[in-house]
Amino acid sequence: MSSQAEEELDALVAAWRARDGSEMLYLELRDPMRQAARQGIRRITRESPDEDDVDNVVLRAFREVLAKDSTEVRSVVGFARTVAYRRGMDRGRQINREKKEIRDHKWVIHDLHVSSKDELAAAETERLFRHAEACMEQLTQDQRILIEHIIMQQHSLSEWAIARGTSYEAGRRMLLRGLRTLRRCVDRNLHGDEEEEL
Amino acid sequence: MTRDESENLLSDLIDSQLHYLRGEGPEPSLADLPSRHRAEAQRLLHLVEALADSLPASPPLSEDPVAIQLGLAEATEGDVWPLRNTDPIMVSVQELSHRLGGAIHSEVASGHIPDDSCGGLICHSLGEVVFVVVVTDVDEPFSSRHALPIFHDHPELSGVAFCNPDATRASVVTYNESVERLIPARDWEGPTALVWEPLGIVLGRHFERSIPRWDEVNRLTLADSVDFLKIEITRAIEEKIDEAARSRPRLAHKRHARDFVVNVNKLKVQSWVDAVRGNRISGDQLAAEIADVCEAVTS
């Protein structure tokens, strides 16, 4: 992450610690938390999550973020992503129990321990995402639509190919080319950040 | 390895990574990949993981349900935020219904919703109809009199529950608790102060007092109930016959009827009562049997 972005995030953390920056903090964290919640739910249910469930998870997770002692957190966005992911998995388990009509299908909140390692790994994922998002303009329109459709929204590549009237193999090749272009751009930006830090 | 082969291998890994992120397969392994391709493969898989499930993006803040719930945005004027199946209130009511064996049915309230509310739910049971009103701030001075306008607009309600969006603080008010009332041997009492408890507890307490205890009924043995009733039936028959015997009708046909009742076989009457109670005889059949007995007496 660039030093400017880090300064902005430090300001958010300061506001969070002062407990008067909930809105700014929520605006900064809501997209990564929604993404993590979706991934957590999907990991358990193996289905596209309902956005109502995602909202519910984000609501619970954000309240846990606000309640957390900020001095114990190394990366607020990493912590928030991890909490949202784990709570997404809890919600996924509840959904599975509801589907099986298991009598006790309350939302079981497991004890949450987020290690520094988890926080930093999640923070790194968020950093990678932000660079990738900025690099999307490097893609052709077709590559961008494909990546948004197949990876960011998790739709089926074979259905995309049928709808486009093209082959599955052609879709795979286009996806790989797009991802390679994106990754090269991200690596350049990361390299530029590292030089800036030095 | 040719270029096509290496590209196919990378595409396969990307497929596997997407399946893994969907929970449909194991985490892809790079062990079979030539070492010169592993670094690139690793970076591509990390990128896929970072991008997965990032859409749809969050809505504008004023339309963000989470922001509205957190009090960071206000719902659009005139637009009541609809309760959804995953809202804590809906979850709480569904759990309660499940605990009470499906005795409670709920539906999102339409029509009139109090101005300072952000949604509502109507809960029905056999004998109760409760309107759960969602209010954003239960810490405002609230008393049970705030339920009175709702009762006036909806006379079918047996209770109004005020509840915060989290379902952690709720209070159920009945009509008589929302008005001034005279308590015998005490004094006039005004609307009661509200006591806040989790929605599942207050709503459960309210519904449980009127839900039939079918489990207790099912545990009754038929012999116990029939023996008790037999004694009561015999006593009732004898009382009616004694009452008829004490009567002094003036009209001839009424004296005739009195004589019939006084002289009728008590066991016969008992058998009629048992047959009606056991649903073994219809009203017409009973009338026909009585008519037969009357004819037999007359002849």
Side-chain angles (χ1 to χ4, degrees):
Chain A
M1 190 178 293
S2 69
S3 57
Q4 183 187 0
E6 282 188 349
E7 282 171 10
E8 286 170 357
L9 205 52
D10 286 343
L12 281 176
V13 173
W16 172 36
R17 285 175 180 158
R19 289 294 187 270
D20 64 359
S22 293
E23 183 175 336
M24 278 196 303
L25 195 63
Y26 176 68
L27 281 171
E28 187 65 31
L29 297 180
R30 62 180 184 156
D31 279 326
M33 290 183 80
R34 276 198 164 89
Q35 180 187 14
R38 280 188 207 109
Q39 289 177 337
I41 295 172
R42 189 191 293 276
R43 188 86 177 83
I44 301 296
T45 64
R46 303 182 188 178
E47 291 175 354
S48 287
D50 188 292
E51 285 302 301
D52 286 349
D53 287 327
V54 174
D55 289 343
N56 212 357
V57 168
V58 170
L59 178 64
R60 286 177 182 256
F62 186 71
R63 286 196 168 122
E64 287 189 61
V65 170
L66 287 180
K68 182 70 178 174
D69 181 353
S70 59
T71 58
E72 296 175 3
V73 173
R74 292 187 64 180
S75 164
V76 62
V77 69
F79 179 75
R81 280 187 78 115
T82 308
V83 172
Y85 180 77
R86 302 255 183 98
R87 292 309 177 216
M89 291 175 76
D90 287 342
R91 176 61 187 143
R93 291 185 193 100
Q94 185 191 23
I95 290 169
N96 281 351
R97 288 197 296 273
E98 285 170 3
K99 284 182 184 172
K100 292 176 188 171
E101 297 183 342
I102 292 172
R103 190 174 180 85
D104 178 14
H105 54 70
K106 289 182 184 175
W107 185 328
V108 177
I109 304 294
H110 291 94
D111 287 339
L112 188 66
H113 173 67
V114 178
S115 65
S116 296
K117 186 180 168 189
D118 294 332
E119 278 177 35
L120 294 176
E124 189 55 35
T125 301
E126 178 64 16
R127 182 184 179 195
L128 191 54
F129 170 76
R130 292 187 186 204
H131 280 300
E133 206 178 25
C135 287
M136 293 290 273
E137 62 184 20
Q138 302 286 323
L139 302 173
T140 65
Q141 188 175 9
D142 284 345
Q143 286 171 342
R144 191 177 70 249
I145 290 172
L146 183 61
I147 286 177
E148 283 177 359
H149 201 71
I150 303 304
I151 298 181
M152 297 169 86
Q153 296 183 69
Q154 295 275 340
H155 291 315
S156 157
L157 181 59
S158 47
E159 287 175 8
W160 174 89
I162 291 169
R164 279 279 303 247
T166 186
S167 68
Y168 180 79
E169 279 305 315
R172 272 170 41 120
R173 285 195 296 272
M174 188 187 296
L175 189 63
L176 180 59
R177 280 198 298 273
L179 285 171
R180 275 174 157 167
T181 302
L182 216 50
R183 187 72 230 201
R184 280 195 295 271
C185 174
V186 167
D187 288 340
R188 281 196 302 272
N189 290 350
L190 286 173
H191 187 64
D193 282 353
E194 284 162 11
E195 284 185 348
E196 204 176 294
E197 284 168 13
L198 291 173
Chain B
M1 182 180 283
T2 66
R3 184 181 171 183
D4 280 349
E5 284 170 348
S6 68
E7 290 200 348
N8 277 338
L9 215 51
L10 287 175
S11 291
D12 287 344
L13 281 170
I14 291 168
D15 277 348
S16 298
Q17 178 76 329
L18 288 171
H19 281 295
Y20 164 66
L21 292 171
R22 289 184 196 128
E24 294 168 356
E27 190 170 5
S29 166
L30 304 182
D32 295 334
L33 205 61
S35 55
R36 66 180 180 279
H37 294 298
R38 279 187 203 155
E40 183 191 14
Q42 191 70 42
R43 291 201 309 276
L44 287 174
L45 297 187
H46 281 162
L47 181 62
V48 169
E49 185 178 2
L51 289 170
D53 278 314
S54 54
L55 290 178
S58 298
L61 200 66
S62 62
E63 296 170 26
D64 185 335
V66 179
I68 294 169
Q69 273 271 53
L70 291 168
L72 302 178
E74 290 183 6
T76 309
E77 189 178 335
D79 179 24
V80 173
W81 183 44
L83 284 168
R84 295 166 299 180
N85 284 338
T86 50
D87 286 323
I89 290 173
M90 295 292 281
V91 171
S92 186
V93 170
Q94 283 158 12
E95 284 176 354
L96 178 63
S97 179
H98 192 82
R99 180 163 66 83
L100 298 179
I104 299 175
H105 303 279
S106 60
E107 58 196 17
V108 175
S110 58
H112 175 76
I113 304 244
D115 289 340
D116 51 359
S117 158
C118 56
L121 191 69
I122 304 283
C123 299
H124 303 261
S125 74
L126 193 60
E128 305 273 356
V129 181
V130 177
F131 185 179
V132 179
V133 180
V134 184
V135 288
T136 49
D137 188 0
V138 297
D139 287 326
E140 279 189 15
F142 252 104
S143 84
S144 43
R145 65 180 169 77
H146 286 93
L148 197 54
I150 303 173
F151 281 121
H152 284 167
D153 286 340
H154 300 276
E156 75 280 8
L157 296 177
S158 64
V160 172
F162 295 108
C163 182
N164 67 348
D166 268 354
T168 54
R169 300 183 72 204
S171 189
V172 174
V173 181
T174 57
Y175 178 79
N176 63 334
E177 289 168 337
S178 65
V179 294
E180 295 268 340
R181 59 204 186 281
L182 179 63
I183 309 295
R186 290 222 295 262
D187 201 348
W188 283 95
E189 283 188 7
T192 56
L194 297 177
V195 176
W196 301 103
E197 292 176 277
L199 180 67
I201 291 176
V202 296
L203 212 55
R205 189 184 303 136
H206 184 80
F207 279 110
E208 274 174 342
R209 65 183 191 175
S210 65
I211 288 176
R213 299 294 303 275
W214 299 119
D215 53 338
E216 295 294 330
V217 172
N218 288 338
R219 275 201 282 271
L220 283 176
T221 58
L222 185 60
D224 294 342
S225 53
V226 167
D227 284 346
F228 170 73
L229 284 173
K230 259 189 186 166
I231 298 168
E232 290 297 313
I233 289 167
T234 306
R235 188 178 299 142
I237 292 171
E238 287 172 354
E239 279 177 5
K240 282 298 174 188
I241 292 174
D242 289 345
E243 188 182 319
R246 289 195 299 271
S247 68
R248 294 287 181 267
R250 291 184 183 177
L251 299 172
H253 69 277
K254 287 193 177 180
R255 286 200 298 273
H256 188 65
R258 177 204 60 193
D259 293 341
F260 170 79
V261 169
V262 167
N263 294 310
V264 76
N265 188 330
K266 290 178 192 175
L267 291 176
K268 186 71 180 171
V269 177
Q270 179 105 35
S271 71
W272 285 336
V273 172
D274 287 340
V276 168
R277 204 164 45 78
N279 209 25
R280 295 188 298 276
I281 192 171
S282 68
D284 289 343
Q285 286 170 319
L286 176 62
E289 285 199 21
I290 293 173
D292 289 344
V293 172
C294 289
E295 277 184 25
V297 167
T298 306
S299 61

